[in-house]
Amino acid sequence: MPTKKELWVAVHREKIACPGCQKVMSRRAIRWRHKCRGMGPKLLDDAEAEQRRERYVEQAILGFQERH
């Protein structure tokens, strides 16, 4: 029967695929230091894209007004 430490080490050494990018690595790496990279741009739905566009327009106008 394994100790708690042995079980923890065994589980965290297992190699699995990251749920985000499918890169295979240890559970320990996924838990504490992995960041998915190279996933490509995030696609926005129409409503979110419109909200962001409006916010960018407001920021541009505010930036211009602050300079003048």
Side-chain angles (χ1 to χ4, degrees), residues 40-56:
K42 177 184 172 192
L43 301 177
L44 304 174
D45 61 359
D46 292 337
E48 187 177 357
E50 182 60 26
Q51 288 174 348
R52 284 179 185 240
R53 190 191 71 72
E54 289 173 6
R55 189 174 70 225
Y56 296 153

Side-chain angles (χ1 to χ4, degrees), residues 1-11 14:
M1 193 158 198
T3 65
K4 289 190 283 185
K5 181 179 179 180
E6 291 170 343
L7 183 59
W8 186 93
V9 169
V11 167
E14 288 178 13

